Amino acid sequence: MTLTITSVTTHTHRPVHDRETDPPPPADLGGVMSGRYRALTLGIVSCVLLVAFEATAVNTAMPVAARDLNGLGLYAFAFSGYFTASLLAMVVSGEWSDKRGPLGPLSAGITTFGVGLLIAGTAQNMWTFVGGRAVQGLGGGLLIVALYVVVGRAYPERLRPSVFAAFSSAWVLPSIIGPVISGTVTQQLGWRWVFLSIPVLIALPVALMLPELRRLQAVDAAAATATAHAGDAAATPTPTPAPRGWALDRRRILLALALAVGAGLLQYAGQLLDVYALIPAAAGLALLVPAVTRLLPRGTFRAARGLPTVILLRGIAAGAFFAAEAFIPLMLVTQRGLSPTLAGLSLTSGGVSWALGSWIQGRPWAGRHRSLLIRTGFLMCAFAIAGAGLALVPAVPAYVVAVVWTVGGLGMGLTIASVGVLMLAFSEADDTGENSASLQVSDALGNVLMAGLAGVLFSVVGTGTGGGFAAIFATMTGVALLGAAVCGRTRVR
């Protein structure tokens, strides 16, 4: 992994697979479910399935848990604690994966994730529950970055789009049945069993992946040893790269800590409704801004060509889409009189079409049209967000939201998976972890910043009024159009 921001930008000139010095691609022509990759593919998809089911099931049980623990006042912290801890863990996982391989952070992530669920499920007060959610966030952050590194190291480039398509498909079933199962368990057995039952599922992905991950780790270690011996025996004076140390970069870890604390302070300020919120907000910005500019590739916020634009687009897409999505159920309940169940179901179509979009970008022809796919995805998201706002007009049927959100989900499937493919294409083998961490940090920051902006618009324009919702949808439509405008800069000249 590169240890300076300057060295990261060297990967923005040309994708790794376009460089003349690269070895030819492997001759293996099997797919992601061929004998060579089957166990690993099933294992990593099972990990994504586990995270997806946890997200959909736990969110359903969370209101009951907070009420039972007399902690409704800390309800938002159960979410922000997860997010804040995951920011730190993402950077640590990138460092760890690049220095020592993905096996360690992946195993630690799955274990920590399970421990967090157990803490939350046995909590006797709300602060312990929030602490359990934070431990879950540490595990989730370690896990997601390590999974990206596994994809980059274990699969040839031609198979990576199919793997990302499988990631998206793993969310479809949990998004449909997760809330139903969680609601039933919560009503019949109690909310604690939602948290305590999920760790049982951890054994499956571990059993499937472990042998292949150990083999991959051994291959990496053997390659590093061979490279070192070859450098010692070389008779020419040409310098060889110095062996990478095993110690994690303390500077990046401290920056990640500052980023997490800064984000936490901003979220805390968002819960306050008086002038004193300016104090934690100012402190949060003072920590977050310098940290994020040093952790992400140089040029990210000015959309420099290549990797910086790829990283930026992930945050724009996630921020615009999910900030709008968060307010759609509330709009349908308060403005159109739908039940919470129907309001939530109106978004289900987006999850299914997201998987379809990821499948489309995984077709063999799609690799030649990445920028076009990303632009198309952003335009579809902009159409969906603007279309959702039409439901504010009484003459427009409320089900228009389900229709347009199908289009938006398809666009997100095209965009998010394609951005992940390009990130790996711009990454060398020894900085896949750092760049994967940058991608996930951008995603998380895009979510919190756009959600925060949406909250401000909602309060300023009018809480619970049609004008407040209209301001949010109009702004997020503009953000999505901004993504469409800059996505051409993913191509390098």
Side-chain angles (χ1 to χ4, degrees):
M1 182 189 73
T2 47
L3 301 184
T4 64
I5 299 299
T6 302
S7 59
V8 170
T9 62
T10 61
H11 304 308
T12 67
H13 300 307
R14 298 176 60 195
V16 172
H17 61 84
D18 284 346
R19 296 173 193 157
E20 291 86 346
T21 56
D22 285 348
D28 176 37
L29 298 179
V32 294
M33 292 303 292
S34 64
R36 178 176 177 180
Y37 301 109
R38 184 182 299 116
L40 184 59
T41 300
L42 290 174
I44 60 178
V45 170
S46 296
C47 282
V48 177
L49 188 68
L50 172 68
V51 173
F53 185 76
E54 183 274 341
T56 56
V58 166
N59 287 354
T60 302
M62 197 83 75
V64 180
R67 186 167 55 248
D68 186 54
L69 295 172
N70 298 315
L72 288 176
L74 298 175
Y75 182 77
F77 290 98
F79 293 95
S80 62
Y82 184 103
F83 163 77
T84 302
S86 68
L87 277 177
L88 172 62
M90 287 170 186
V91 178
V92 172
S93 183
E95 283 279 318
W96 193 350
S97 296
D98 282 342
K99 295 291 183 66
R100 309 179 187 181
L103 177 59
L106 196 148
S107 301
I110 292 177
T111 303
T112 306
F113 191 78
V115 170
L117 285 165
L118 293 176
I119 293 174
T122 57
Q124 299 302 309
N125 58 71
M126 194 60 182
W127 278 116
T128 304
F129 183 83
V130 170
R133 291 287 292 162
V135 174
Q136 278 185 256
L138 289 174
L142 290 171
L143 178 60
I144 188 60
V145 172
L147 286 177
Y148 270 71
V149 175
V150 170
V151 174
R153 293 192 180 181
Y155 294 87
E157 185 179 354
R158 64 180 182 81
L159 292 181
R160 293 171 190 166
S162 298
V163 179
F164 286 123
F167 279 14
S168 297
S169 298
W171 277 84
V172 173
L173 188 62
S175 69
I176 296 173
I177 69 170
V180 176
I181 294 176
S182 176
T184 301
V185 171
T186 299
Q187 291 179 344
Q188 301 299 322
L189 301 176
W191 65 267
R192 295 184 185 276
W193 285 104
V194 175
F195 291 85
L196 297 176
S197 61
I198 295 176
V200 177
L201 305 176
I202 290 176
L204 176 62
V206 171
L208 288 170
M209 287 190 301
L210 195 56
E212 182 61 22
L213 288 176
R214 284 176 173 169
R215 187 197 66 80
L216 183 64
Q217 193 92 342
V219 169
D220 287 345
T225 302
T227 300
H229 289 167
D232 293 340
T236 61
T238 303
T240 57
R244 300 178 66 83
W246 284 74
L248 302 186
D249 185 351
R250 184 177 300 175
R251 172 179 170 273
R252 284 185 61 82
I253 302 303
L254 290 176
L255 286 172
L257 181 61
L259 175 66
V261 174
L265 287 172
L266 283 177
Q267 291 176 87
Y268 175 70
Q271 303 301 310
L272 303 178
L273 299 176
D274 52 37
V275 69
Y276 296 107
L278 295 175
I279 298 175
L285 286 173
L287 289 170
L288 186 146
V289 173
V292 74
T293 55
R294 288 168 173 81
L295 285 171
L296 299 185
R298 180 177 292 175
T300 295
F301 295 104
R302 56 181 174 84
R305 286 191 174 274
L307 180 64
T309 295
V310 170
I311 299 299
L312 176 65
L313 289 176
R314 177 63 175 260
I316 292 176
F321 188 80
F322 290 118
E325 185 179 66
F327 284 85
I328 287 177
L330 183 62
M331 175 195 69
L332 292 175
V333 171
T334 61
Q335 303 298 308
R336 300 303 300 268
L338 269 66
S339 69
T341 301
L342 287 177
L345 287 175
S346 67
L347 303 177
T348 302
S349 61
V352 177
S353 61
W354 187 317
L356 176 61
S358 294
W359 178 84
I360 291 173
Q361 66 78 40
R363 299 306 86 202
W365 54 265
R368 302 187 299 273
H369 308 287
R370 285 290 164 205
S371 293
L372 177 60
L373 288 173
I374 294 173
R375 177 175 284 113
T376 302
F378 270 109
L379 292 175
M380 295 174 80
C381 288
F383 169 82
I385 296 170
L390 293 177
L392 290 166
V393 180
V396 176
Y399 64 75
V400 72
V401 173
V403 176
V404 299
W405 220 244
T406 302
V407 178
L410 182 64
M412 285 296 284
L414 293 173
T415 298
I416 295 297
S418 292
V419 165
V421 170
L422 283 180
M423 181 276 295
L424 291 177
F426 280 113
S427 300
E428 301 281 6
D430 61 352
D431 63 11
T432 305
E434 180 175 313
N435 292 340
S436 297
S438 295
L439 194 74
Q440 298 300 326
V441 167
S442 178
D443 184 302
L445 282 177
N447 269 294
V448 71
L449 292 177
M450 290 300 103
L453 175 59
V456 170
L457 290 171
F458 199 55
S459 299
V460 172
V461 177
T463 301
T465 66
F469 290 112
I472 292 171
F473 295 138
T475 301
M476 296 309 151
T477 299
V479 173
L481 290 174
L482 174 64
V486 304
C487 67
R489 299 182 66 79
T490 57
R491 295 190 300 264
V492 289
R493 291 172 175 171

